[in-house]
Amino acid sequence: MSQNATLDRKAIEKFNSYWEDLMEEFPEARASAVKAMGQAVKRDLDAQIGRADLEADAKGTVRSWQELRLGSRGGYAALSAQKGKPSGGRTKSWRGQAVTIKQVTKWLERGHGVRKPAPGSAAAWNRAGRSGLNTVTGLRYVKGRMFYSWTKMKAMEHALDAANEALEIFAEEKGV
């Protein structure tokens, strides 16, 4: 675990080294690079959702729920599910609370458990047949689609590409 954190820290330090001289001379470069990186990661996330094992209508809905947030001074870009409740249809609840968009996105990302089907219910048995079965506990579950996890793996690559592009623009303007 600590080895992964060290590798991530080194990659982040390398990424930040791109910006030391640039920030003194050209402060808009970081904001534009962070925005470009955020948009590239959002495109990757949308592609991952498109590849996920979801119904066609659900893919568009889940894509529309994801939003790119940018820092006010261009210091960060973050992708997350919107706040609020899904629109349309009957309001769903979980443990007495209305289900939110963030919860649905988390369940799709990580997976979730499935109730035991009611005896004699054909529709419930069909749903249960599509779920996995934990061989240790005997409980049914739906596998996570992991679209955020797959997208996260390419985020640093997009960040470095955006930083290099900003540095090239900076070099052209300075005549280097």
Side-chain angles (χ1 to χ4, degrees):
M1 187 83 165
S2 64
Q3 191 175 27
N4 288 342
T6 305
L7 293 174
D8 290 343
R9 188 176 305 136
K10 287 179 182 178
I12 290 170
E13 287 172 4
K14 182 179 177 183
F15 179 73
N16 285 333
S17 70
Y18 280 102
W19 299 108
E20 290 176 6
D21 296 332
L22 184 63
M23 288 307 297
E24 293 174 9
E25 306 257 348
F26 191 43
E28 301 88 31
R30 182 175 182 175
S32 66
V34 168
K35 183 176 180 181
M37 182 270 303
Q39 291 169 341
V41 173
K42 174 75 165 97
R43 283 190 299 273
D44 272 354
L45 179 64
D46 289 345
Q48 286 296 332
I49 292 170
R51 285 188 215 104
D53 183 25
L54 298 171
E55 293 181 18
D57 294 344
K59 290 177 185 183
T61 303
V62 174
R63 276 189 199 124
S64 70
W65 288 346
Q66 312 312 310
E67 67 180 352
L68 173 64
R69 295 178 289 113
L70 299 171
S72 60
R73 291 180 288 173
Y76 73 90
L79 280 170
S80 62
Q82 297 172 350
K83 294 182 180 178
K85 298 177 179 108
S87 61
R90 197 179 89 210
T91 304
K92 307 288 186 205
S93 66
W94 184 71
R95 294 189 177 179
Q97 300 287 329
V99 173
T100 65
I101 291 172
K102 285 185 182 262
Q103 283 176 311
V104 174
T105 302
K106 181 178 126 184
W107 293 333
L108 288 172
E109 170 71 12
R110 298 180 184 170
H112 56 87
V114 177
R115 290 184 297 187
K116 290 182 180 178
S121 172
W125 280 110
N126 286 338
R127 261 198 322 262
R130 285 187 269 154
S131 61
L133 181 65
N134 185 326
T135 56
V136 176
T137 63
L139 298 175
R140 294 201 167 275
Y141 65 94
V142 174
K143 294 179 183 176
R145 283 21 178 246
M146 312 243 332
F147 38 80
Y148 269 96
S149 300
W150 291 112
T151 302
K152 192 187 305 184
M153 291 177 15
K154 287 194 160 191
M156 183 58 80
E157 182 181 319
H158 289 303
L160 290 173
D161 290 343
N164 284 331
E165 188 175 320
L167 287 172
E168 288 172 10
I169 292 169
F170 176 71
E172 287 176 9
E173 287 183 5
K174 290 293 182 181
V176 176

